[in-house]
């Protein structure tokens, strides 16, 4: 099928194939018509069972130092050899769990502090990390698995979504969302899978902002059913709990249940991380909202299952890559865009009309503050006044492929109204039954 690119600005980078896995999602049965296959999908996803290879060794979040070394070497500095032994022995000491080599988790701190150099005392290169990549290498690990970054600890829903999106992949935990974006940009991993919205909790605003800040493409989506459990240390009863820890989204999704329980809610970086913390600290007054699998990993009991406020609780995850997915025709597609508008009466109405005129269905609209330019002076000529208006970025998902003429025409039309327009990706819709 022909690739569609309506203008160089809308599709800024050329279509480059760098990984044999780029179409792995598209090749999966989308919206399988067989009832038994559909039921099997559903059950497998609800169990959230990663491939056997992934359960054998639990990934652990490693230190920021390994990433600094990666980043520094990736930028073309190759003179680490003289320090290799020191670095290696230090890293062994810092990861002395006695286990086998584990996937590195990427910390935001590591990425933000930037590359050091041989003089940088923080540099460490864990011995098990594969060789740094050059731009003409693909970052496929030694066993040929695709490496997929996600935010959180092992047992997080994001990890399960990563396995769901890329069956057989190696899921790489990251401390923050930003770290997952950067891990892809730095070629430490091939893809990232990140939550963008939840049917109960709404949008994950942080990831909208990061989509704009980074230059990755959306190459697919996964709608993942989230079935929350209340977890606690063995022997602890519901009545013993004074507080419950979890990711803010998970706390929002179980708001009614936790209010009835009368516990204090404490926000944590991710659901599985809170289960891990309770196990590590031996807290008998605290419970965690997390997956059943997180309970199994960290040795916590399931006190209650399905504690989300509505039985249908679905989180939509985006699959991100360095290269665009080439849009096709013949299967359901979504396209995600972000644009700005000049402050004027009816500006948003006109922008949305470009889709309705062509019978294109919108599935999502989100507005976020334009952080670089949050305010704009607006003259009201009729009343001879001027005020300051908030400036927004509008994110829209619509149901069409960029290979379709109507989508190309809609965006050409939008470009006439919008001072800034970027296509974040055109990708196959997840039409599997939930
Ligand atoms: O903490 C986790 O387990 C996550 O994967 C994060 C996250 C989110 O950010 O929305 C993902 C799915 C659920 O909606 C709850 C939390």
């Amino acid at each position: 099928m022909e690739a569609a690119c309506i203008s160089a600005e809308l599709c800024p980078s050329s279509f480059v194939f760098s990984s044999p896995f780029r179409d792995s999602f598209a090749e999966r049965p989308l919206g399988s018509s067989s009832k038994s296959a559909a039921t099997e999908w559903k059950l497998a996803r609800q169990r959230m069972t990663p491939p056997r290879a992934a359960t054998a060794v639990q990934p652990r979040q490693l230190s920021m130092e390994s990433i600094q070394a990666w980043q520094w070497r990736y930028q073309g500095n190759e003179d680490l050899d003289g320090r290799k032994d020191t670095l290696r022995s230090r890293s062994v000491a810092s990861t002395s769990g006695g286990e086998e080599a584990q996937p590195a988790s990427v910390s935001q701190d590591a990425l933000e502090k930037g590359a050091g150099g041989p003089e940088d005392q923080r540099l460490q290169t864990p011995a098990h990390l594969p060789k740094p990549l050059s731009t003409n290498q693909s970052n496929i690990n030694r066993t040929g698995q695709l490496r997929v970054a996600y935010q959180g600890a092992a047992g997080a829903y994001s990890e399960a979504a990563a396995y769901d999106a890329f069956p057989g992949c190696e899921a790489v935990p990251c401390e923050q969302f930003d770290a997952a974006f950067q891990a892809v940009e730095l070629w430490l991993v091939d893809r990232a899978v990140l939550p963008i919205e939840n049917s109960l909790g709404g949008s994950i605003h942080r990831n909208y902002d990061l989509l704009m800040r980074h230059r990755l493409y959306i190459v697919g989506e996964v709608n993942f059913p989230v079935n929350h459990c209340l977890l606690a240390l063995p022997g602890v009863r519901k009545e013993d709990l004074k507080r419950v820890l979890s990711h803010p989204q998970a706390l929002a999704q179980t708001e009614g249940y936790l209010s009835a329980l009368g516990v204090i809610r404490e926000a944590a970086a991710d659901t599985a991380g809170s289960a891990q913390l309770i196990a590590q600290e031996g807290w008998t007054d605290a419970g965690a909202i997390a997956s059943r699998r997180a309970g199994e990993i960290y040795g916590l009991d399931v006190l209650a299952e399905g504690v989300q406020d509505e039985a249908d609780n679905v989180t939509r995850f985006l699959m991100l890559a360095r290269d665009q997915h080439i849009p096709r025709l013949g299967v359901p597609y979504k396209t995600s865009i972000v644009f700005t508008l000049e402050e004027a009466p009816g500006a948003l109405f006109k922008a949305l009309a470009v889709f309705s005129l062509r019978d294109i269905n919108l599935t999502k609209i989100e507005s976020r503050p334009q952080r670089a330019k949050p305010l704009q002076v607006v003259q009201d000529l009729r009343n001879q006044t001027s005020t300051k208006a908030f400036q927004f970025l509008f994110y829209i998902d619509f149901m069409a492929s960029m290979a379709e003429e109507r989508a190309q025409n809609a965006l050409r039309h939008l470009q006439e109204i919008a001072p800034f327009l970027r296509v974040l990706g055109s990708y196959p819709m997840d039409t599997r039954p939930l």
Side-chain angles (χ1 to χ4, degrees), residues 150-153 155-159 177 195-198 202 204 207 224 226 228 246-251 253 268-273 289-291 313-315 317:
Y150 70 93
Q151 188 270 333
Y157 295 102
S158 300
E159 182 202 40
F177 291 135
I196 195 74
E197 56 180 325
N198 172 268
I204 287 109
N207 282 336
F224 195 83
V226 171
H228 288 305
S246 199
H247 186 279
Q249 266 286 337
L251 293 175
Q253 293 157 26
D270 67 286
T271 56
I289 296 291
S291 66
N313 185 27
V314 176
T315 299
F317 289 84

Side-chain angles (χ1 to χ4, degrees), residues 218-238:
I218 305 173
V219 295
E221 66 170 4
V222 159
N223 292 324
F224 195 83
V226 171
N227 192 34
H228 288 305
C229 295
L230 176 65
L231 308 174
L233 282 169
V236 172
R237 296 160 312 153
K238 258 194 240 175

Side-chain angles (χ1 to χ4, degrees), residues 230 238 240-244 257-266 285 287:
L230 176 65
K238 258 194 240 175
D240 304 327
L241 298 179
K242 296 197 170 44
R243 53 204 178 105
V244 166
Y257 178 78
L258 294 177
S259 298
L261 211 57
V263 288
I264 296 166
R265 280 147 253 186
E266 291 181 13
D285 66 333

Side-chain angles (χ1 to χ4, degrees), residues 9 49 115-116 226 236 271 280 357 365 400:
E9 274 155 339
T49 315
V226 171
V236 172
T271 56
Q280 261 168 16
L357 282 171
I365 176 161

